[in-house]
Amino acid sequence: MVANENRLTELTVGACRLELCQGDITDQVVDAIVNAANSRLAGGGGVDGAIHRRGGPSIMAETKAKYPEGCPTGSAVISGAGNLSAKYVIHAVGPVWQGGNAGEAKLLASAYQKALDLAVQHDCQSVAFPALSTGAYSYPLVEAAQIALRTVIEFLRERQAPPLVRFVLFDRHTFDVFAQQLAQLQAG
């Protein structure tokens, strides 16, 4: 694990690299950006709104045409990336926090898993994730970070792909929580 003044932390998992950075996911130069989508794929605020604003209307037009029924919670679908530098946007639908007893952990892990499956199926060499479900969906940040990191590390160990997975965390607090959880996973 490496940390520096640019607020980047990374972990090597076999031939793959997991990175944490603080920043704007829409600025990432990667093959796929993961969108924290809602199940209607209807656009929204936060990461979803930022991706649609920067990517332009073609993303919404494509998801409406390809996925008229939306996307169930715990799953993901893929579209082009419009005006973003990425090739694809993977729309992952995490759960709304309901107290922890409604299968939220399983659904959150599944959303990450399905997004990674799509990235590998589309030969993505790099993918950038936000902290799914931690904004408007109110998933507790520490628990969400644990699930996200464990799921991605396990996927990379099993599949040895994609070569780069980057968590792009919007604010310092979220970055710090993810970095702390990554350090604890490494220590444990």
Side-chain angles (χ1 to χ4, degrees):
M1 187 166 54
V2 177
N4 64 30
E5 64 277 3
N6 295 327
R7 314 236 359 108
L8 177 70
T9 298
E10 63 182 55
L11 170 69
T12 301
V13 181
C16 303
R17 197 168 74 242
L18 170 66
E19 295 179 350
L20 306 180
C21 70
Q22 183 181 336
D24 181 342
I25 198 165
T26 65
D27 291 334
Q28 298 302 302
V29 179
V30 291
D31 290 340
I33 290 174
V34 177
N35 180 18
N38 58 60
S39 61
R40 296 176 323 282
L41 302 176
V47 169
D48 194 16
I51 287 172
H52 284 287
R53 279 190 302 278
R54 291 278 299 268
S58 67
I59 298 171
M60 183 71 70
E62 184 179 346
T63 58
K64 281 183 181 178
K66 287 172 82 172
Y67 313 106
E69 302 300 316
C71 178
T73 301
S75 195
V77 296
I78 193 165
S79 73
N83 301 326
L84 295 167
S85 63
K87 294 178 191 171
Y88 304 105
V89 174
I90 298 172
H91 307 268
V93 182
V96 174
W97 180 253
Q98 298 178 38
N101 296 315
E104 296 100 312
K106 184 176 179 181
L107 290 167
L108 185 59
S110 179
Y112 281 103
Q113 172 84 35
K114 300 288 187 187
L116 287 166
D117 283 338
L118 284 169
V120 170
Q121 288 168 22
H122 288 80
D123 198 31
C124 295
Q125 300 300 298
S126 54
V127 60
F129 278 96
L132 296 174
S133 288
T134 61
Y137 285 7
S138 302
Y139 210 108
L141 189 53
V142 170
E143 290 88 339
Q146 291 169 349
I147 291 165
L149 293 166
R150 276 195 214 117
T151 302
V152 169
I153 290 168
E154 184 177 304
F155 188 95
L156 294 176
R157 282 185 180 138
E158 289 176 8
R159 300 285 291 274
Q160 288 300 300
L164 172 63
V165 175
R166 179 181 297 145
F167 281 93
V168 183
L169 307 159
F170 189 70
D171 60 41
R172 183 178 179 133
H173 174 70
T174 305
F175 174 88
D176 288 344
V177 169
F178 268 71
Q180 180 183 47
Q181 294 308 309
L182 185 59
Q184 287 181 6
L185 283 171
Q186 282 301 102

